[in-house]
Amino acid sequence: ETGVTQTPRHLVMGMTNKKSLKCEQHLGHNAMYWYKQSAKKPLELMFVYNFKEQTENNSVPSRFSPECPNSSHLFLHLHTLQPEDSALYLCASSQDYSETQYFGPGTRLLVL
Amino acid sequence: KQEVTQIPAALSVPEGENLVLNCSFTDSAIYNLQWFRQDPGKGLTSLLLIQSSQREQTSGRLNASLDKSSGRSTLYIAASQPGDSATYLCAVGPYNFNKFYFGSGTKLNVKP
């Protein structure tokens, strides 16, 4: 596979569930990002990882927990989410912060 | 905090028309500006990246300009086609590379 892949593509979970989103990039990039896209709102940057080190979390609630085991994989662990967390979660990568970001197809999350 | 505004929010044009999408930002201290397209329910595809030292970038029928001093960028699409129908997003990257700010997008519909 090439580019940036995300799994699962769709996820429905209850507020007490624990689930994880996975992102993998096959581009040899150094930086990876998690974004949240809600209806009628601009894309919001959640987390940035550079060389596996988290550099920004943008005040995201602790019910979202990122993990970056290596420069190619990024996870977003979810627990005790709220219905307002329902959104499209997008992963992206870039060679450097100053370079073009390449996005995955996203995970459509619905919290009941 | 940087604010990014895109006007218009939606645009419908007949096939073949040339059109301009607008993006404005409040803080001119940016490192780069990117234009993306997003098809319904999918991730973002990068169209053009303009570094702060550049005035414009071109790719095929697309031309993006940047005027940092006035806080504006435009995306020009020549000879529009139905396949250009999508939402177009602009994003600014400040010198603090950990923060990227997106506009809410312009939803374009090109009618056959």
Side-chain angles (χ1 to χ4, degrees):
Chain A
E1 281 195 83
T2 59
V4 181
T5 58
Q6 291 186 243
T7 55
R9 294 293 311 277
H10 301 274
L11 179 61
V12 180
M13 57 187 291
M15 290 189 285
T16 59
N17 291 158
K18 290 184 180 181
K19 297 287 185 182
S20 296
L21 310 184
K22 179 183 177 182
C23 174
E24 184 173 0
Q25 58 98 357
H26 309 268
L27 302 169
H29 289 165
N30 298 321
M32 296 187 76
Y33 314 79
W34 278 117
Y35 287 91
K36 176 183 178 183
Q37 188 174 36
S38 306
K40 309 294 184 184
K41 291 177 68 176
L43 230 65
E44 300 171 72
L45 178 63
M46 300 175 72
F47 299 104
V48 180
Y49 275 85
N50 188 32
F51 290 102
K52 301 188 297 179
E53 299 296 324
Q54 181 179 317
T55 56
E56 181 66 30
N57 69 1
N58 282 309
S59 302
V60 177
S62 59
R63 56 185 183 270
F64 295 92
S65 175
E67 179 190 359
C68 190
N70 55 61
S71 58
S72 298
H73 294 84
L74 186 64
F75 295 89
L76 187 62
H77 303 299
L78 316 171
H79 63 98
T80 59
L81 293 191
Q82 304 298 311
E84 60 264 29
D85 296 322
S86 299
L88 180 67
Y89 288 84
L90 293 162
C91 173
S93 71
S94 64
Q95 179 57 37
D96 199 319
Y97 290 138
S98 62
E99 300 299 320
T100 298
Q101 293 185 38
Y102 293 84
F103 282 77
T107 294
R108 176 71 64 185
L109 173 66
L110 176 62
V111 182
L112 301 176
Chain B
K1 179 185 172 184
Q2 177 76 269
E3 291 186 9
V4 182
T5 304
Q6 290 188 246
I7 295 174
L11 182 63
S12 184
V13 300
E15 181 177 6
E17 204 165 282
N18 301 324
L19 55 99
V20 174
L21 308 181
N22 298 292
C23 173
S24 62
F25 43 95
T26 54
D27 185 350
S28 61
I30 67 170
Y31 192 83
N32 59 34
L33 184 144
Q34 299 185 55
W35 281 95
F36 297 88
R37 71 173 277 169
Q38 184 175 29
D39 294 285
K42 301 204 175 165
L44 280 64
T45 301
S46 178
L47 297 173
L48 291 164
L49 168 68
I50 310 177
Q51 303 292 353
S52 62
S53 58
Q54 298 173 321
R55 296 284 292 184
E56 66 177 339
Q57 283 286 333
T58 297
S59 176
R61 294 183 293 108
L62 305 178
N63 175 276
S65 67
L66 174 63
D67 184 343
K68 270 182 50 177
S69 60
S70 66
R72 297 196 305 191
S73 175
T74 61
L75 179 66
Y76 175 82
I77 302 177
S80 59
Q81 303 170 358
D84 295 330
S85 298
T87 296
Y88 290 80
L89 299 158
C90 71
V92 297
Y95 284 92
N96 176 356
F97 294 139
N98 299 334
K99 298 186 184 298
F100 293 92
Y101 296 97
F102 279 78
S104 297
T106 294
K107 187 173 183 179
L108 173 65
N109 178 35
V110 181
K111 298 171 288 186

